[in-house]
Amino acid sequence: MTTPPLRTVLHVADTLLQPTETFIAQQLKGAQFMPMGLAWARADPGLALPCPAMFLTSRLPPTGSGLGHRVRRRLFRPLFEAELIAVLKRLSPALVHAHFGFTGARIVRACKGLEIPLVVSFYGYDAGSGSAATFGELFDYA
């Protein structure tokens, strides 16, 4: 009897891996699944990556309250989502695990559109600093 191939769990974070994020590094080691990392930046200095990882080039501008911030985010969102969707289609993960709520909020539309299950871990600062506008769609899906 042959063993079925391991399913890919895609771990997504804004930056891989900050020196303090040993708790995420432990999750990137899998025996029951094939872990893969996806981020927009590599921490320097940072922890060694225990699995393969990809780094996206398009990034949403930071959130802000002014009109300029909202316009920039609206202009950049299609580029950001197109790159993310292309990567998700190519990797075809069984599950996406977003580390930190703000990362989950950024990727929820792509996961939802491709019907990929999304799990989000809130680790501290993000748990109390978001609003219904920030996390509403995320809480509806993940």
Side-chain angles (χ1 to χ4, degrees):
M1 186 166 144
T2 61
T3 306
L6 296 177
R7 299 178 85 184
T8 300
V9 173
L10 185 63
H11 293 266
V12 183
D14 191 49
T15 303
L16 288 174
L17 277 165
Q18 297 290 350
T20 58
E21 293 178 346
T22 55
F23 54 95
I24 295 175
Q26 289 299 319
Q27 295 178 39
L28 294 176
K29 300 173 185 174
Q32 304 299 317
F33 58 89
M34 176 72 67
M36 175 115 191
L38 181 67
W40 288 267
R42 174 75 173 103
D44 183 26
L47 300 173
L49 295 174
C51 68
M54 294 181 65
F55 296 92
L56 299 172
T57 57
S58 60
R59 188 180 188 116
L60 283 174
T63 57
S65 58
L67 177 62
H69 286 283
R70 290 192 303 270
V71 169
R72 281 195 300 278
R73 287 182 68 80
R74 185 158 294 203
L75 290 173
F76 281 96
R77 182 169 287 286
L79 296 171
F80 167 80
E81 288 183 348
E83 182 183 22
L84 179 60
I85 288 169
V87 168
L88 290 173
K89 283 182 177 179
R90 188 168 74 240
L91 296 176
S92 189
L95 174 80
V96 172
H97 182 177
H99 295 276
F100 296 100
F102 293 109
T103 301
R106 271 191 298 245
I107 67 170
V108 66
R109 287 183 190 174
C111 290
K112 186 176 178 180
L114 295 172
E115 298 180 348
I116 299 171
L118 173 63
V119 173
V120 182
S121 293
F122 287 77
Y123 294 110
Y125 79 94
D126 53 341
S129 57
S131 65
T134 304
F135 295 134
E137 187 174 12
L138 177 64
F139 290 156
D140 288 343
Y141 182 71

